[in-house]
Amino acid sequence: MSRTVRPAGRLLLGLVGAALAVLAVAGAASAAGGDNPPARCLRPNRYGELPTCTWDGTSWHRSFGGGMSTGGPPAGFVALFVLVLLGGVGVLVWKVSTARRMARESGMSAGDATAMTLLTDDGFGATYLAANLRDRTHAAPAPPPAAGRTVSERLQQLQALRDQGLVTVEEYDARRAAILDSL
């Protein structure tokens, strides 16, 4: 049984054959030319660096940067490292200054607050708790005496506050001493 090919089919077969021939010729030319570097362009040197291979139109040339890499880290990493470092120092300065302020306000030692903040893991939190739990009556200075009241009136008022349970015995003793010292 014989097949006959129509003229349109012959034209299509001719175009496909021509395209395949062009591709085969182009592939052979590129294999010998600048599209496919040789295997030696993919082998690293003794330092592990890959070469830079260039095509000059006739042959491949392989070159290295010259010994060990001296490029250093990228500038973006250096800038990020510096920013993180500056941020860390800024947070540390803030924590120490805040701990010292809290210690001063509560009558604690600012030096101890600084040491706790710098030398312990939870020193800042411990300073905060100690400053807030500390009895602030010892840290607060005695208010100036009210104008127009005598010492005996002030002592009677203080005694009444103690009797009502509004001040502790320690607070009563401290205030009484302050009133008597003001004489």
Side-chain angles (χ1 to χ4, degrees), residues 3-168:
R3 288 189 184 181
T4 59
V5 180
R6 295 186 179 164
R10 277 191 214 151
L11 179 63
L12 183 61
L13 282 176
L15 288 175
V16 169
L20 288 174
V22 167
L23 287 175
V25 169
S30 67
D35 289 341
N36 296 322
R40 65 185 171 96
C41 286
L42 303 176
R43 281 187 300 232
N45 64 5
R46 64 180 177 204
Y47 302 112
E49 295 176 328
L50 288 174
T52 301
C53 287
T54 54
W55 174 256
D56 67 359
T58 59
S59 65
W60 284 97
H61 299 281
R62 181 175 128 162
S63 63
F64 293 94
M68 296 288 287
S69 175
T70 58
F77 288 123
V78 172
L80 181 64
F81 177 76
V82 169
L83 286 175
V84 168
L85 185 65
L86 288 175
V89 168
V91 166
L92 185 65
V93 167
W94 172 80
K95 285 173 82 172
V96 168
S97 65
T98 303
R100 291 178 65 87
R101 180 186 50 79
M102 286 189 299
R104 276 192 312 272
E105 290 174 358
S106 66
M108 294 170 41
S109 168
D112 289 344
T114 301
M116 282 184 65
T117 301
L118 291 176
L119 300 177
T120 62
D121 291 336
D122 295 325
F124 183 71
T127 303
Y128 174 78
L129 286 174
N132 285 316
L133 295 176
R134 187 174 172 99
D135 185 15
R136 294 184 185 245
T137 58
H138 298 293
R149 290 189 352 200
T150 65
V151 172
S152 64
E153 290 173 344
R154 291 174 51 208
L155 287 172
Q156 287 173 356
Q157 184 182 17
L158 184 61
Q159 178 67 38
L161 290 173
R162 187 184 79 173
D163 292 342
Q164 294 172 5
L166 299 175
V167 293
T168 64

